[in-house]
Amino acid sequence: MAKPTQKRKLQNYWKLASVCKETEDKINFFDLYQEAFELMPETQEELKNARIYFQQEWGIDLEEYEKKNADYPNEFKVIAFNSCILNGVAYSEFKDLYGFYY
């Protein structure tokens, strides 16, 4: 079976993300689909910026937190979702094309 292209992956991730309206949905999306946040150079950069913003605003070192808890804070997951997926450059084409499913 052929591997899906990056564009197809972005499209599929957007379709999954577009139904995430509650905070818990966004957290679950982050937990289940981490690749969606690192798929493209744009999403990688947006994730990096979300990390910097979160660390500055919350005063939490994400690397240390993750080492201690084997996970990221839920607040960061929501910020990452909003920055990379909901308002991200890589997903904007699909956001404009498909909109939201809720």
Side-chain angles (χ1 to χ4, degrees), residues 4-15:
T5 65
Q6 282 187 320
K7 186 170 183 170
R8 173 69 70 183
K9 284 183 178 182
L10 287 169
Q11 179 183 27
N12 290 338
Y13 284 132
W14 174 255
K15 288 179 179 180

Side-chain angles (χ1 to χ4, degrees), residues 19-95:
V19 298
C20 298
K21 86 177 183 184
E22 302 295 329
T23 299
E24 192 66 30
D25 299 332
K26 295 175 181 183
I27 294 166
N28 289 334
F29 183 91
F30 184 94
D31 290 340
L32 292 170
Y33 307 111
Q34 291 229 353
E35 181 190 30
F37 297 86
E38 300 169 346
L39 190 58
M40 303 286 291
E42 297 89 347
T43 55
Q44 292 171 9
E45 186 65 27
E46 290 162 349
L47 183 61
K48 178 183 161 192
N49 291 337
R51 290 176 69 87
I52 291 168
Y53 169 80
F54 181 83
Q55 291 180 142
Q56 289 175 346
E57 290 297 312
W58 290 75
I60 295 173
D61 184 317
L62 285 172
E63 287 181 28
E64 288 296 317
Y65 186 95
E66 200 236 347
K67 285 178 188 175
K68 288 180 185 176
N69 300 287
D71 199 6
Y72 291 108
N74 288 340
E75 296 84 0
F76 170 70
K77 294 174 185 181
V78 172
I79 289 170
F81 181 92
N82 290 340
S83 297
C84 301
I85 310 295
L86 192 60
N87 299 311
V89 173
Y91 291 95
S92 63
E93 173 187 349
F94 302 106
K95 182 179 175 182

